[in-house]
Amino acid sequence: MTMRKNFVEELRWRGMLAQMMPGTEELLQKEMVTAYLGTDPTADSLHIGHLCGIMMLRHLQRCGHKPIILVGGATGMIGDPSGKSQERNLLNNETLYHNQECIKRQVAKFLDFDSNEENAAEMVNNYDWMKDFTFLDFAREVGKHITVNYMMAKDSVQQRLNGTARDGLSFTEFTYQLLQGYDFLYLYQHKGVKLQLGGNDQWGNMTTGTELIRRTLGNEVETFALTCPLITKSDGKKFGKTESGNIWLDPTRTTPYKFYQFWLNVSDDDAERYIKIFTSLEKDVIDTLVEEHRQDPGHRVLQKRLAEEVTVMVHSQEALDMAKEASGILFGKATKDALERLDEQTFLDVFDGVPYYELPKDQLGQPAVELFTRDDVKVFASKGEMRKLVQGGGVSLNKEKLSTFDRIVTTDDLIDGKYLLVQRGKKNYYLVAVK
């Protein structure tokens, strides 16, 4: 038999292996293994906090094994005590289905669902087997196999019971590990799943699954669990969160430009870790990039390659090209055409944080010097200052040099039909929204 590429070794050198049950590596070397990873469908997009798990599935499939992604339609309706402090909202079927389809489209960029090979990826939803499962059936078929003592010993439960949460731990959340355990049992019986993958905060729930299978089907049935570490930033803060919230994979929630910028701006230490975790680049390529980066950190070789790889994988080459062009607008010699090629949200993202003014539309048709020295659009302190700067070639409107300070500004100058971009010097931008 041909030895398949070692999945565990792949995760190990990439820094993506936290814990695994004894025998996991041997099983993966012996046969094609079907493994699953659960994700929560409470939104119609994944964010980059989900990416480590998705990359685990990608590496699994590339190593010749079969990945299954489980959308937790049933478990997503209730709270999981693992590191969370609130229960979730109930989702209706329509929302659940919509979210599931959106997630599948995103994951399909990482996994091959359409292959004719036996390790083609699949997506399942635990709502399909939980919706008709009565409480009495659950108590009889699942509850009797796992003791309360066993469940109480889990770290995730202990942390909630001994933590500061005023509401304690509800029965619904307490049973979460049994529901997740039943998923593993069901998938073992119906899909031949022998391995569950997940974040390290899920270890307790995952081992409950292997225990439930052993106690239900007998000691000779072996199933396994493997986790990746929870990814943090080098300063210990949560990965993937910014001041404005999550970095989403959906371009309508986070533009490709903002997505690209997130990766471009990570620290050197994080770039060295993330390029192993969030790309499929081989070890020799990464080692070369790391060495090149260490020779000249200012050139940010790692950040650039990381941002390029992840943006293409999540979005597309076209989205990357636009993100790079948008990135060059602030510092490069862009043209008005380049500004007009950006969609409105990307345009606003590029100039996020620059001084912002609003101008009534009926004021257009006046000289630039009148518009940009008004009390409510104070780009220049005075008309004299603006005249002087224009004469020195230091003022641009929409990336085009203003040759005269009294040039008439009209609706033809508006970007996206509503914006004027004024630039004084090389780095000072002002955004004027015409309403």
Side-chain angles (χ1 to χ4, degrees), residues 47-66:
H47 53 74
I48 58 174
H50 295 107
L51 269 187
C52 186
I54 302 301
M55 290 303 291
M56 284 173 86
L57 290 178
R58 181 177 173 89
H59 293 308
L60 180 90
Q61 189 172 37
R62 288 179 152 213
C63 290
H65 304 288
K66 181 179 176 70

Side-chain angles (χ1 to χ4, degrees), residues 151-160 204:
M151 294 169 71
M152 290 287 286
K154 298 292 181 183
D155 285 345
S156 57
V157 173
Q158 286 297 318
Q159 284 166 11
R160 281 296 297 275

Side-chain angles (χ1 to χ4, degrees), residues 37 54 71 90 97 102 108 150 168 177 205 209 253 294 349 390-391 398-399 402:
L37 176 135
I54 302 301
V71 174
L90 202 68
Y97 179 74
C102 292
Y150 178 87
Q177 60 177 289
N205 294 342
R253 286 172 175 251
R294 287 177 179 173
D349 282 348
V390 170
Q391 284 161 2
N398 301 333
K399 284 288 180 180
L402 263 188

Side-chain angles (χ1 to χ4, degrees), residues 202-260:
Q202 292 293 313
W203 181 255
N205 294 342
M206 292 161 73
T207 51
T208 297
T210 60
E211 187 65 12
L212 177 64
I213 291 168
R214 190 182 67 76
R215 294 187 186 185
T216 305
L217 303 177
N219 288 338
E220 67 282 359
V221 176
E222 284 193 299
T223 49
F224 302 87
L226 181 153
T227 62
C228 63
L230 295 179
I231 311 301
T232 56
K233 293 191 278 195
S234 52
D235 60 7
K237 289 181 181 167
K238 197 170 179 181
F239 163 76
K241 285 270 190 178
T242 65
E243 285 178 17
S244 55
N246 284 317
I247 302 293
W248 299 91
L249 306 195
D250 184 333
T252 62
R253 286 172 175 251
T254 301
T255 60
Y257 165 77
K258 215 163 192 176
F259 186 86
Y260 173 75

Side-chain angles (χ1 to χ4, degrees), residues 33 225 328:
V33 175

Side-chain angles (χ1 to χ4, degrees), residues 373-400:
T373 57
R374 294 160 53 104
D375 287 342
D376 55 348
V377 187
K378 207 72 174 163
V379 176
F380 302 94
S382 66
K383 291 178 182 178
E385 183 199 42
M386 184 177 170
R387 283 193 189 103
K388 201 170 172 183
L389 284 167
V390 170
Q391 284 161 2
V395 179
S396 296
L397 178 62
N398 301 333
K399 284 288 180 180
E400 293 174 348

Side-chain angles (χ1 to χ4, degrees), residues 76-90:
M77 291 177 167
I78 63 172
D80 168 10
S82 308
K84 301 180 183 73
S85 58
Q86 289 181 322
E87 294 195 29
R88 296 165 181 158
N89 296 326
L90 202 68

Side-chain angles (χ1 to χ4, degrees), residues 16-30:
M16 295 172 74
L17 182 64
Q19 297 185 78
M20 62 178 172
M21 291 175 64
T24 305
E25 190 165 7
E26 292 76 4
L27 173 79
L28 286 155
Q29 286 296 88
K30 187 177 73 179

